[in-house]
Amino acid sequence: MQKDLIYLINNYEYEMKHFDISNLLSNNITSSSVSSNDIIDFLDDLKGIFSDIKGLSSKTSYHFDINDFLNNLKDEKNYFYDKIIYYCHQKNIDEVDLYKKANLTRSIFSKIRSMNKTTYTPSKATVLSICLALNLSLNETQEMLNIVGYSLSDKMVTDKIISWCIVHHEYNIDDINNFIYEKTNKSYFI
């Protein structure tokens, strides 16, 4: 790890200029893979399907659609703890070892455990600590962040550093935090 971090320190400007999180997460799916003609064709198909429905005014149809949407809407943050457990089993790590490795208190992890019964949402740094402690890939990390409403950005230095470390399998939270502090004069993982 020290070699990679020394490399990053010495080549920081180059690496950050050429490091694109979005491309790494896209799995070779680019925005150009769907043409505007495909979208127009899809919308025309939808218009045809909805025009075939008899007996619904546009107002009724709208209310039906929004009610159907609202009835099927689920807050995915309730699945965050389930996803942690899934990765714990997959990586063969128990909860206590996980929250210790993630530098989390038992109290914080208890709040995460009971998220489906409370309004608690962990901070982005807490979610990233868990992801790093589980040695998750960049896609898995992005998925965990998305569940609770966060993401990694190509525009934030801290996110780029964390993403670079994940891509290069550097998961030591203290080392990453020291590097972030060196570049931003702020600790990220407190």
Side-chain angles (χ1 to χ4, degrees), residues 129-152:
S129 292
I130 291 168
C131 294
L132 291 168
L134 287 167
N135 296 353
L136 297 183
S137 70
L138 190 59
N139 283 330
E140 292 166 334
T141 300
Q142 188 71 17
E143 177 187 20
M144 293 290 279
L145 288 165
N146 288 339
I147 290 172
V148 290
Y150 302 117
S151 67
L152 291 168

Side-chain angles (χ1 to χ4, degrees), residues 86-125:
Y86 167 78
Y87 285 124
C88 280
H89 288 290
Q90 192 178 44
K91 308 279 183 170
N92 199 24
I93 185 172
D94 70 6
E95 289 182 33
V96 175
D97 291 337
L98 173 65
Y99 75 71
K100 285 181 180 178
K101 187 175 178 185
N103 296 332
L104 301 177
T105 64
R106 188 172 147 195
S107 168
I108 293 292
F109 201 77
S110 178
K111 288 179 183 180
I112 292 169
R113 190 180 296 122
S114 58
M115 279 175 60
N116 61 346
K117 299 172 191 157
T118 67
T119 59
Y120 176 75
T121 301
S123 70
K124 183 176 177 180

Side-chain angles (χ1 to χ4, degrees), residues 7-177:
Y7 167 81
L8 185 56
I9 289 166
N10 293 331
N11 297 289
Y12 176 78
E13 294 298 325
Y14 174 82
E15 283 292 331
M16 292 300 112
K17 190 180 288 185
H18 295 90
F19 190 76
D20 187 358
I21 299 166
S22 300
N23 285 341
L24 292 169
L25 291 172
S26 69
N27 286 334
N28 300 324
I29 297 173
T30 64
S31 58
S32 64
S33 65
V34 178
S35 72
S36 59
N37 288 337
D38 291 335
I39 294 170
I40 292 169
D41 291 343
F42 174 74
L43 292 175
D44 286 341
D45 290 342
L46 282 180
K47 285 180 191 173
I49 291 168
F50 285 113
S51 68
D52 291 341
I53 299 174
K54 307 262 189 239
L56 293 176
S57 70
S58 61
K59 191 173 188 179
T60 307
S61 177
Y62 167 76
H63 287 295
F64 172 77
D65 291 340
I66 192 68
N67 288 333
D68 189 40
F69 171 75
L70 292 174
N71 288 336
N72 291 312
L73 194 60
K74 294 178 183 140
D75 190 353
E76 290 192 25
K77 85 173 190 142
N78 295 334
Y79 301 112
F80 182 67
Y81 178 70
D82 295 336
K83 203 67 170 167
I84 290 172
I85 296 306
Y86 167 78
Y87 285 124
C88 280
H89 288 290
Q90 192 178 44
K91 308 279 183 170
N92 199 24
I93 185 172
D94 70 6
E95 289 182 33
V96 175
D97 291 337
L98 173 65
Y99 75 71
K100 285 181 180 178
K101 187 175 178 185
N103 296 332
L104 301 177
T105 64
R106 188 172 147 195
S107 168
I108 293 292
F109 201 77
S110 178
K111 288 179 183 180
I112 292 169
R113 190 180 296 122
S114 58
M115 279 175 60
N116 61 346
K117 299 172 191 157
T118 67
T119 59
Y120 176 75
T121 301
S123 70
K124 183 176 177 180
T126 297
V127 175
L128 285 168
S129 292
I130 291 168
C131 294
L132 291 168
L134 287 167
N135 296 353
L136 297 183
S137 70
L138 190 59
N139 283 330
E140 292 166 334
T141 300
Q142 188 71 17
E143 177 187 20
M144 293 290 279
L145 288 165
N146 288 339
I147 290 172
V148 290
Y150 302 117
S151 67
L152 291 168
S153 168
D154 281 330
K155 308 300 179 206
M156 297 180 66
V157 171
T158 302
D159 286 358
K160 288 179 90 168
I161 292 170
I162 293 168
S163 299
W164 188 94
C165 289
I166 291 170
V167 167
H168 291 88
H169 307 287
E170 305 297 339
Y171 297 105
N172 185 293
I173 294 169
D174 294 327
D175 288 343
I176 295 169
N177 199 41

Side-chain angles (χ1 to χ4, degrees), residues 12 157-158 161 176-190:
Y12 176 78
V157 171
T158 302
I161 292 170
I176 295 169
N177 199 41
N178 289 337
F179 188 68
I180 290 170
Y181 183 81
E182 185 177 311
K183 290 299 174 187
T184 65
N185 293 324
K186 296 176 191 168
S187 285
Y188 188 75
F189 302 104
I190 299 171

